[in-house]
Amino acid sequence: MAEVGLLPFARIAVQVSRAVLPRYRSRFSKRQFTQPQLLAILCLMRYEDWTFREAEVRLGEHRELRQVLGLVSVPDFTTLYRFLQRLDDQTIDRAVGETVRRLRGSLRQKRKRARVAVDATGLAQGAVSTFFVRRMHHHGQKPLPWRHWLKWVVAVDLDQQFVLSQLARRGPWNDCANLPAVIEAASQQTRIGLVLADAEFDSERNHTYIRKRLGAQSVIPAKRGKKTWRVHGVRAEMRSAFPRRLYRRRALIESLFSSVKRKLSARAPGRSLPMQMRQALLLGLSFNLYRLKHRRLFLRMSTEPDRTKRAARLGRRALRRNGTKGKGNPAVLGEKAGRGTTTNLLYLS
């Protein structure tokens, strides 16, 4: 197959699926395929952006992939579709929680409070080219082919770049009231120390929930209403002394959205809204599995903005110690001295 690393992804998907699902739904099941096998295939479909029929064809062609999944025969595309219909959101949430537990496996990471960002993005309902849609709209003056789309709301760990919690609903919609639910689900996965969000989630109620219920710091720009309006509480603090340096890190969630749409898929296919919502939730689960597959590479990275300064400081010390003042790049020498990296964020090819 063209995709490199498909077998490691399938192995991790099967391991996570076995941790959250029993082998069979009931004792009267046909026992031809197990539930973890079918869930792993659905994650592969999101990882490769396959349709149901394409998944059946690909599994029939790839003998090694069938061996990794433990398949004796290839499931029909209707079997996969019916399993997706039976799959509930709680099962996907448990699978996401299992991936978070594995990504934050070390005790040091578990004790550290996470810096979380909340944002939403739109997912297309089909595979129609956006360029074709814009050209049809501008040249033919025809209305857009849809009035609604799927809105995917996620809470992301900014330091390690993976999804903590998620929800999906039909857009356009204001998700200000959904922030407590997303943050509450994320707090069950890890301890939260900082929450960043854009102006869509601006409300005093959200600030109060984050600061009093979770004991975390909240940074949300107070953009709602006119500048002449009087605001009170935390929103007044955000308007008078906004922590811009702290808020810059919110842009990392946009990097995650870009990675998801470039590496996996930018759509949530389905003829009904419940199917589109499950496809969006499976997209978040598949991205966490993708992160697990590349875990060693991401562990050697850092999203800390001050690693370059630290490397330069160590490099200057090495220059003074060796008596070679003014020679060499301090950041490179500091990287060798600190055995660290000056890379802020990488996109895997």
Side-chain angles (χ1 to χ4, degrees):
M1 293 196 129
E3 175 62 39
V4 178
L6 189 60
L7 298 182
F9 181 90
R11 290 191 189 96
I12 296 173
V14 170
Q15 293 172 6
V16 172
S17 301
R18 287 173 179 169
V20 299
L21 274 177
R23 286 179 59 84
Y24 303 105
R25 189 161 173 258
S26 70
R27 59 193 182 96
F28 301 106
S29 299
K30 295 174 64 175
R31 299 179 182 264
Q32 188 176 3
F33 308 106
T34 65
Q35 291 191 110
Q37 287 174 340
L38 297 177
L39 180 58
I41 295 173
L42 292 181
C43 293
L44 280 169
M45 290 173 56
R46 296 272 63 203
Y47 179 65
E48 286 285 301
D49 204 13
W50 290 338
T51 64
F52 291 100
R53 294 179 183 269
E54 285 176 346
E56 181 183 358
V57 173
R58 297 290 186 176
L59 288 172
E61 294 173 347
H62 205 318
R63 179 174 56 86
E64 292 84 0
L65 184 58
R66 294 198 304 271
Q67 291 176 352
V68 170
L69 295 172
L71 294 174
V72 179
S73 59
V74 178
D76 189 73
F77 70 95
T78 57
T79 303
L80 300 174
Y81 180 80
R82 288 166 184 165
F83 178 76
L84 181 59
Q85 283 184 319
R86 295 194 305 266
L87 190 65
D88 55 353
D89 297 347
Q90 290 75 19
T91 302
I92 302 177
D93 292 340
R94 290 200 306 271
V96 171
E98 178 65 19
T99 59
V100 171
R101 185 186 67 82
R102 298 185 181 214
L103 284 165
R104 295 181 63 89
S106 64
L107 185 61
R108 182 179 178 182
Q109 290 292 338
K110 290 180 180 178
R111 289 178 178 176
K112 184 179 177 182
R113 284 179 171 263
R115 288 180 285 190
V116 177
V118 181
D119 203 355
T121 186
L123 298 175
Q125 300 175 1
V128 180
S129 170
T130 55
F131 172 78
F132 171 77
V133 172
R134 288 195 301 268
R135 184 166 182 173
M136 181 184 66
H137 177 65
H138 289 303
H139 290 269
Q141 298 300 322
K142 296 181 180 179
L144 296 176
W146 56 76
R147 293 165 50 190
H148 303 282
W149 62 88
L150 196 75
K151 202 169 185 182
W152 183 40
V153 186
V154 295
V156 173
D157 187 316
L158 293 177
D159 294 325
Q160 293 186 308
Q161 290 282 291
F162 58 79
V163 176
L164 290 171
S165 62
Q166 56 181 344
L167 62 88
R169 65 175 305 148
R170 170 175 282 182
W173 189 269
N174 191 326
D175 289 300
C176 181
N178 292 329
L179 184 137
V182 178
I183 292 297
E184 178 67 26
S187 65
Q188 296 176 4
Q189 309 293 344
T190 183
R191 298 171 62 215
I192 298 176
L194 172 66
V195 177
L196 305 175
D198 59 9
E200 181 186 7
F201 302 93
D202 174 32
S203 74
E204 189 67 26
R205 183 179 299 177
N206 288 341
H207 284 289
T208 303
Y209 174 82
I210 295 170
R211 300 194 174 206
K212 293 187 176 180
R213 180 71 178 272
L214 302 179
Q217 185 180 1
S218 60
V219 179
I220 305 173
K223 295 291 184 68
R224 293 198 174 190
K226 298 181 180 179
K227 293 184 178 181
T228 56
W229 290 6
R230 291 185 178 180
V231 294
H232 305 280
V234 183
R235 295 188 69 236
E237 178 186 343
M238 291 289 113
R239 180 172 289 186
S240 60
F242 185 71
R244 297 183 181 275
R245 186 180 182 85
L246 202 60
Y247 186 70
R248 289 175 190 167
R249 298 185 60 79
R250 194 207 68 85
L252 291 175
I253 193 172
E254 306 294 346
S255 301
L256 184 137
F257 285 147
S258 174
S259 181
V260 169
K261 293 183 178 182
R262 286 184 301 106
K263 302 296 181 183
L264 304 185
S265 178
R267 61 194 187 99
R271 293 188 177 183
S272 63
L273 181 61
M275 295 295 288
Q276 295 172 9
M277 293 169 60
R278 291 192 191 101
Q279 293 276 21
L281 299 181
L282 283 172
L283 185 62
L285 172 60
S286 300
F287 180 75
N288 278 10
L289 295 172
Y290 168 76
R291 286 297 320 278
L292 271 173
K293 191 188 77 165
H294 294 286
R295 185 180 182 184
R296 292 184 179 180
L297 278 175
F298 277 93
L299 286 176
R300 294 198 296 267
M301 304 180 346
S302 173
T303 57
E304 295 289 338
D306 57 346
R307 290 294 290 272
T308 305
K309 297 180 182 179
R310 178 176 178 272
R313 186 170 64 251
L314 291 173
R316 286 192 293 270
R317 290 179 185 175
L319 288 173
R320 288 196 298 267
R321 190 183 309 115
N322 298 330
T324 56
K325 186 176 181 181
K327 296 180 181 180
N329 188 346
V332 175
L333 293 174
E335 186 180 27
K336 296 177 180 178
R339 296 186 182 276
T341 178
T342 59
T343 303
N344 286 337
L345 186 64
L346 294 179
Y347 289 111
L348 298 179
S349 59

